[in-house]
Amino acid sequence: MSGSARGTARGTVPGLATPYPLGAALPAVYAEDDFGQRFVSGLDVVLAPLFTVLDSLEAYFSPALAPADFVDYLATWVGAELDGTEPLPLRRHAVASAVALHRVRGTRQGLAAAVRLAFGVPPEITESGGASWSARPLGAFPGSPEAGLHVVLRVADPAAVDPHRLRAVVGAARPAHLPFTVSVTTSRTSEGA
């Protein structure tokens, strides 16, 4: 996800008590000073969320437990391909599976997984290349002599899919050397209905 599409919720939390009030730690001369106690209680309001975050810091780095705005930061850290409009459960899943997707990036499996993650539908992928074996040297090359990749996404409502988003997802997950085309069409099940 590029930039910060959502605001942050980090800050003070009304009514949150600190486990370590500064007023109790002041020297005895300030223990009875009303101004000094009120002054440091203002600092307690600022410090209370810090203690809460530090006490649960491990949860911030777990996509399943992190606060929603922090999931977006995690997405940028792990390179998850998000545009910022996805629902929170999908963003959490994208962050959790980013490392596995990076391992297969640039492969047919990785491309299919990235498109399925972004759109919830497995794509049809047609590649120009191929592999074959021949007992004779200089045998015919398999596939098309022109490199290319075509991705078809079959969905019930093609108008609901942003083709620019599909193009961006395929562009990020495809093998880097292959030119590609994408198309969105009606699913075969909805054609027969």
Side-chain angles (χ1 to χ4, degrees):
M1 188 166 92
S2 61
S4 178
R6 292 175 183 78
T8 180
R10 302 295 134 238
T12 61
V13 178
L16 181 65
T18 179
Y20 309 106
L22 293 175
L26 290 176
V29 70
Y30 297 110
E32 299 296 322
D33 183 17
D34 182 52
F35 174 76
Q37 290 295 322
R38 284 185 292 127
F39 180 77
V40 295
S41 71
L43 296 174
D44 286 339
V45 170
V46 174
L47 293 175
L50 294 176
F51 291 124
T52 304
V53 168
L54 291 175
D55 287 345
S56 60
L57 187 61
E58 184 178 324
Y60 276 75
F61 299 103
S62 169
L65 301 174
D69 63 315
F70 205 78
V71 170
D72 297 333
Y73 289 120
L74 289 176
T76 62
W77 294 352
V78 297
E81 297 292 332
L82 299 172
D83 68 356
T85 61
E86 297 87 355
L88 181 59
L90 181 61
R91 293 191 331 256
R92 289 184 189 280
H93 180 66
V95 170
S97 60
V99 171
L101 281 177
H102 287 308
R103 284 188 189 124
V104 293
R105 190 176 195 138
T107 66
R108 182 184 187 107
Q109 175 190 1
L111 175 59
V115 172
R116 190 177 327 109
L117 177 66
F119 298 98
V121 178
E124 293 177 11
I125 300 171
T126 307
E127 300 175 78
S128 61
S132 71
W133 179 87
S134 174
R136 295 183 338 200
L138 302 175
F141 288 109
S144 171
E146 301 219 4
L149 176 71
H150 183 65
V151 178
V152 178
L153 193 61
R154 296 188 183 276
V155 294
D157 181 15
V161 174
D162 180 8
H164 300 291
R165 174 79 177 122
L166 176 60
R167 186 164 178 73
V169 170
V170 171
R174 70 182 165 94
H177 67 285
L178 282 180
F180 68 95
T181 58
V182 298
S183 63
V184 181
T185 185
T186 306
S187 63
R188 292 186 179 131
T189 57
S190 63
E191 287 174 357

